[in-house]
Amino acid sequence: MINLLILPIIIPLLTAAILLFFAKKIAIQRWISTISLMATLVVSLFLIHKIDQNGIQTLDIGSWPAPFGITLVSDMLSALLVTTATLVALGCVLYSFYSIGKGRENYYYYAIVQFLLVGVNGAFTTGDIFNMFVFFEVMLMASYVLLVIGGTKIQLRESIKYILVNVTSSALFVITVGYLYSIVGTLNMAHISERIAEVNQPGILTVIAILFLIVFGLKGAIFPLFFWLPGSYYAPPAPIMALFGALLTKVGVYSILRTYTLFFYHDTGFTHQLLAVLSILTVILGSIAAIAFKDMKKIVIYNIIVAIGVITYGIAMMNADGLSGAVFYVIHDMIIKAVLFLLVGIIIKITGSVDYRKFTGLINHYPLLGWTFFIAVLALAGIPPLSGFVGKLLIARSGFATGDVFGAIVILLSSLLVLYSLMRVFLNGFWGDPSGSSKKPEVAVGKLLVPAIGLTIVAICFGIFSEGVYHYISQATEVLMNPDIYIQAVLGKS
């Protein structure tokens, strides 16, 4: 019997290979992509249930036992993120049918999306630190293609910066893994944790922890390493922006979350305090930038940076509330950021402008679009009972519990700035004189709204039924708080 945890990696990998043979048959590509993503989603949901019933699932590749071979590990955190990533990818693919254009569809667009998902799901699932690097590279290579597909001038210009940053980051990743291996003599993440516990994190391991923070901070876009993100994410079309904004930065955040709770938890005085400071600076600068721009795409992009700061602040607190809030918030943000990018894509298609001051009264022509956008903005800002509220409340509470009143207040105030930055779009662009905009029959707004509304409904349910969801979040947090559970599952010893 095939182990469930490998299927969210194998299914998109096989699908991508199959799609390469149907490069010019767009209808077939669409059907295969949709069926594959739905199958991956169902498998991911079954995996969550299995972990809930039976605990952490592991698979030793090639029958080599851990720590000697490559091990895949799926705990509740991993399974929840794999499920969310697959759901977002499904929404973006359905949206792409009516927006991405046949020019891009003819150049292996759907196959590359599947390869991207292989990298994302693999990074969430691997139990080997070098294998995480491998899945990062799969994800990044797919993102390079998605960034340039279509060949517009801005895409080609931004791709150079994006590739240079990520190649540098990847080189530093390998160097850091090499340093770590030279000290602990293993690449298995559970075994690394066990070895570090034996030596109690000497100074050199603190240096390695900072190097990992730089590597994953570049990929996750925390201060001061987010300089590459606004331009790179601005260049591609809406569904690709949604994939990038929802998934790629979250892989970097997940990596910080996993390494800082599994490896570097013995001496948190410097590493986690530094992470907390950088997180607060990320939130402050991201918020300032979000309210400074009138460009809708840039506003949402800078709100990605705000969310990254909020999540990493929860990680830095290293208590149950902080880690639970970080898990809650990362799932919420993956869904709601995808929604906002998709909705902004629709608005731009209708109005032909990225500046919300260039149109008014749009809600008179497209009321469903307007109210969906309104709900998504409230959810992003963390207005109760929507999905952003619980995570941000837990993270702020963790700050107060550790005595960091300033940090907790910044986290709470960021909600107001996020709300203000995007509510301007609603008040200026959707309200007002209906003659400031018009219907565009050639834009398939109804069909484009289906995946966006579907994801919005998921986000609403995630907030309203947060008490039921917390059962799963608490399981994820328990493993993060107690690494021995992870070690026991992988190595079979305490």
Side-chain angles (χ1 to χ4, degrees):
M1 181 179 176
I2 297 177
N3 196 313
L4 278 178
L5 71 88
I6 200 171
L7 288 179
I9 302 171
I10 292 295
I11 293 173
L13 180 61
L14 293 176
T15 304
I18 292 167
L19 288 173
L20 294 176
F21 294 98
F22 296 97
K24 305 303 177 185
K25 299 186 184 300
I26 294 172
I28 295 175
Q29 287 192 67
R30 290 175 175 178
W31 275 104
I32 292 174
S33 296
T34 304
I35 293 168
S36 168
L37 289 168
M38 291 177 72
T40 307
L41 183 60
V42 170
V43 167
S44 303
L45 292 169
F46 273 115
L47 182 58
I48 289 175
H49 176 71
K50 189 171 183 179
I51 295 168
D52 182 38
Q53 298 297 311
N54 304 320
I56 297 174
Q57 302 295 300
T58 64
L59 176 64
D60 297 322
I61 303 297
S63 298
W64 283 87
F68 306 107
I70 294 172
T71 304
L72 297 179
V73 184
S74 190
D75 62 354
M76 188 56 74
L77 172 63
S78 168
L80 288 170
L81 294 181
V82 165
T83 303
T84 309
T86 306
L87 177 66
V88 167
L90 176 61
C92 292
V93 163
L94 293 174
Y95 183 96
S96 298
F97 295 170
Y98 308 101
S99 71
I100 201 71
K102 290 188 177 180
R104 290 185 172 91
E105 287 179 307
N106 278 323
Y107 283 93
Y108 307 102
Y109 169 72
Y110 295 109
I112 300 304
V113 170
Q114 296 286 341
F115 277 124
L116 183 79
L117 193 62
V118 171
V120 171
N121 286 351
F124 288 148
T125 306
T126 184
D128 181 284
I129 192 67
F130 185 77
N131 214 34
M132 180 181 280
F133 165 75
V134 173
F135 281 119
F136 263 69
E137 291 309 296
V138 173
M139 176 187 76
L140 289 171
M141 284 189 287
S143 71
Y144 299 154
V145 179
L146 289 174
L147 186 59
V148 300
I149 196 169
T152 63
K153 184 177 179 181
I154 185 174
Q155 285 178 282
L156 296 173
R157 184 184 71 235
E158 291 300 331
S159 67
I160 296 171
K161 178 172 65 178
Y162 180 77
I163 292 171
L164 285 174
V165 167
N166 280 290
V167 167
T168 305
S169 173
S170 296
L172 184 58
F173 194 170
V174 174
I175 292 167
T176 307
V177 169
Y179 276 132
L180 182 62
Y181 182 79
S182 70
I183 294 167
V184 298
T186 182
L187 295 171
N188 182 281
M189 291 165 72
H191 202 209
I192 291 171
S193 180
E194 193 176 56
R195 289 284 179 86
I196 290 175
E198 291 170 1
V199 297
N200 200 29
Q201 195 174 329
I204 184 63
L205 282 170
T206 300
V207 173
I208 290 171
I210 300 303
L211 288 174
F212 271 124
L213 181 59
I214 293 170
V215 170
F216 299 139
L218 263 171
K219 297 182 188 300
I222 65 171
F223 174 85
L225 306 170
F226 59 65
F227 58 90
W228 59 271
L229 185 143
S232 298
Y233 282 21
Y234 190 89
I240 298 175
M241 277 197 301
L243 280 170
F244 283 13
L247 304 186
L248 299 194
T249 51
K250 304 312 181 294
V251 175
V253 169
Y254 164 80
S255 303
I256 295 172
L257 177 57
R258 182 64 78 188
T259 55
Y260 269 52
T261 56
L262 186 60
F263 297 171
F264 309 116
Y265 63 93
H266 304 282
D267 181 13
T268 61
F270 180 72
T271 53
H272 290 62
Q273 189 171 354
L274 175 63
L275 179 59
V277 171
L278 294 179
S279 300
I280 292 301
L281 289 172
T282 304
V283 171
I284 292 171
L285 294 176
S287 299
I288 291 170
I291 62 176
F293 283 101
K294 312 301 180 187
D295 184 316
M296 293 179 290
K297 286 163 68 173
K298 287 189 176 178
I299 292 170
V300 180
I301 286 168
Y302 278 103
N303 273 305
I304 294 175
I305 294 169
V306 175
I308 297 301
V310 171
I311 297 163
T312 52
Y313 181 79
I315 299 169
M317 294 301 100
M318 273 300 283
N319 54 29
D321 278 347
L323 294 175
S324 296
V327 177
F328 251 112
Y329 205 82
V330 74
I331 295 170
H332 143 79
D333 198 65
M334 288 169 75
I335 296 169
I336 213 67
K337 280 298 189 310
V339 170
L340 284 167
F341 277 118
L342 298 181
L343 292 175
V344 166
I346 298 172
I347 295 169
I348 294 169
K349 274 185 174 293
I350 295 169
T351 63
S353 174
V354 295
D355 188 335
Y356 64 78
R357 298 171 300 177
K358 299 289 180 65
F359 56 92
T360 59
L362 197 59
I363 202 165
N364 293 278
H365 308 294
Y366 297 100
L368 192 56
L369 171 63
W371 292 117
T372 304
F373 184 84
F374 179 74
I375 293 169
V377 170
L378 295 184
L380 181 68
I383 304 301
L386 299 172
S387 58
F389 172 69
V390 177
K392 189 165 281 191
L393 180 65
L394 286 170
I395 291 170
R397 196 165 75 179
S398 74
F400 285 121
T402 56
D404 185 10
V405 176
F406 175 75
I409 290 174
V410 168
I411 296 299
L412 292 174
L413 288 178
S414 70
S415 293
L416 296 177
L417 296 177
V418 166
L419 183 65
Y420 173 70
S421 69
L422 279 163
M423 198 54 73
R424 293 177 304 166
V425 179
F426 184 75
L427 294 176
N428 287 274
F430 282 94
W431 291 118
D433 186 359
S435 64
S437 59
S438 61
K439 270 187 171 293
K440 290 287 180 68
E442 66 272 19
V443 179
V445 174
K447 293 175 180 177
L448 290 170
L449 272 175
V450 169
I453 291 173
L455 290 173
T456 305
I457 291 170
V458 172
I460 293 169
C461 293
F462 187 61
I464 292 174
F465 302 109
S466 57
E467 191 172 342
V469 175
Y470 192 76
H471 167 70
Y472 301 100
I473 302 292
S474 61
Q475 287 188 43
T477 306
E478 185 182 7
V479 176
L480 296 173
M481 291 291 293
N482 186 4
D484 286 340
I485 299 172
Y486 188 94
I487 295 168
Q488 169 73 29
V490 177
L491 302 180
K493 56 184 177 180
S494 59

